[in-house]
Amino acid sequence: MIIVDRPEALVVGYAVRTTNAAEADPARAQLPGLWARAGAPGAFAHVPGRVDENLYAVLTDYESDHNGAYTQIVGVAVRTAARLPEGMVAVRVPGVPALLFEARGPLPGALAEVWQQVRQHTESGGVPARAFTTDLEIHHPDGVDLFVATLPSFGEPSGPPAQAQATPA
């Protein structure tokens, strides 16, 4: 894991609101259905202005932390979301400092292992702390890049240095 400046993205796709507890119960899990819908052939063929052929998963609207509800949108990155296809939503993923985790190997196992690393980082009080604002998975031919938004670390510069002003004598 490394700290990077995650670029801003605009994602159009299908959304569900869920919890990790619900996803652990096959009778209540919504993510398998969401991914099946998003992974269907031609699921995003009618979305105009696609940036690339990758699938994006946005985790946002966190109720609290990894124990609370959140919204997951699975879709594609676009240049503009002027006309949304029926049943889809658009979400702007802000460019922020983020921890980058790389999942390589057979999926979904490699991605589950990376999310376990994120949980361990969070529960151990790892620095920088997880923000629970908007996280992003980019699914590409080599695997998945997971960008986990972080809180600013105090003591580190967060912009240009302050300018001292001279006072007249």
Side-chain angles (χ1 to χ4, degrees):
M1 117 187 107
I2 59 171
I3 301 171
V4 299
D5 287 325
R6 179 181 71 202
E8 183 176 288
L10 180 61
V11 175
V12 170
Y14 301 106
V16 298
R17 184 127 179 105
T18 190
T19 65
N20 287 332
E23 294 308 314
D25 177 358
R28 297 187 311 153
Q30 297 182 71
L31 294 180
L34 175 66
W35 279 95
R37 186 175 188 189
F44 299 104
H46 56 289
V47 176
R50 287 183 65 169
V51 171
D52 55 33
E53 293 300 312
N54 299 328
L55 269 183
Y56 291 70
V58 180
L59 293 85
T60 191
D61 297 329
Y62 285 95
E63 179 180 73
S64 56
D65 58 14
H66 58 285
N67 297 308
Y70 61 93
T71 300
Q72 185 168 125
I73 300 101
V74 177
V76 294
V78 296
R79 289 177 188 79
T80 180
R83 291 181 293 122
L84 287 177
E86 188 173 335
M88 292 191 187
V89 299
V91 62
R92 183 165 303 281
V93 180
V96 297
L99 292 171
L100 171 60
F101 295 84
E102 296 178 338
R104 301 296 185 262
L107 296 174
L111 184 57
E113 288 175 19
V114 165
W115 273 110
Q116 185 58 36
Q117 292 174 24
V118 172
R119 274 187 212 84
Q120 290 171 349
H121 175 84
T122 303
E123 291 172 353
S124 70
V127 175
R130 189 169 172 200
F132 291 99
T133 52
T134 301
D135 301 320
L136 177 67
E137 296 174 3
I138 302 176
H139 295 248
H140 51 79
D142 295 328
V144 180
D145 295 336
L146 169 59
F147 296 88
V148 177
T150 61
L151 293 173
S153 296
F154 294 104
E156 292 182 13
S158 60
Q163 297 288 324
Q165 291 184 331
T167 55

